[in-house]
Amino acid sequence: PLLFSFYFSSPMASSVESARFTPSMADPAKSSSHTSTNQKERPKSPTFLLEKSIKANPNDPFAWHLMGVHCMTKGSIDEAFRCFSRAEQIKGGFSTSNQYYLALCHKEKGNRDESMRILYSAISLPARNAVDKKGQKHARVLLEQLKKEDKDAK
């Protein structure tokens, strides 16, 4: 949970407001002071919205990355791994954050060597935004943790 907090505490996440389209916006004649419950648009789940985004553009690595983060928060490591891998397949090295999460999945699956290889790659990539900077920071911490575990095991 703490590892994912940087995504959901970013300035971008807090500044985004959800605007909801209502029928009265399209036709002022249909406007009324109250809307019946069957006319209200129901909020969609994050999974639904991310799946819709991926379906609209299956070659968007950011959509796959966000779906992976969402899967990680739900505890679905295998599904998250698939999403992060797909994002890298589409555009390798596009995000230090994606590589960090991919390395985290490898660690959770017991692939320590691959995790370390990806963490070195994540650290060497340029951080293009605040999310990447935090991903890079977490990558350094995880890499040091893995190195320490290897040293202690010897």
Side-chain angles (χ1 to χ4, degrees), residues 58-109:
N59 292 317
D60 180 1
F62 293 100
W64 283 102
H65 170 72
L66 290 174
M67 178 62 93
V69 172
H70 177 67
C71 291
M72 293 273 306
T73 61
K74 297 276 193 186
S76 182
I77 301 297
D78 289 334
E79 188 62 23
F81 176 78
R82 187 181 72 78
C83 293
F84 297 131
S85 296
R86 179 68 180 126
E88 284 297 312
Q89 184 181 38
I90 293 168
K91 189 173 182 181
F94 78 98
S95 167
T96 61
S97 183
N98 191 70
Q99 287 196 345
Y100 161 72
Y101 279 114
L102 184 58
L104 187 60
C105 287
H106 273 290
K107 177 187 174 281
E108 293 296 317
K109 293 166 84 51

Side-chain angles (χ1 to χ4, degrees), residues 18 32 36 47 51 63 69 77 82 85-86 103 114 122 128 143 150:
S18 64
S32 67
S36 69
T47 305
E51 286 173 350
V69 172
I77 301 297
R82 187 181 72 78
S85 296
R86 179 68 180 126
E114 185 63 10
R128 296 181 186 107
L143 183 59
D150 283 351

Side-chain angles (χ1 to χ4, degrees), residues 21-35 39:
F21 177 81
T22 61
S24 63
M25 291 176 176
D27 185 1
K30 292 183 181 179
S31 176
S32 67
S33 60
H34 66 283
T35 307
Q39 287 181 334

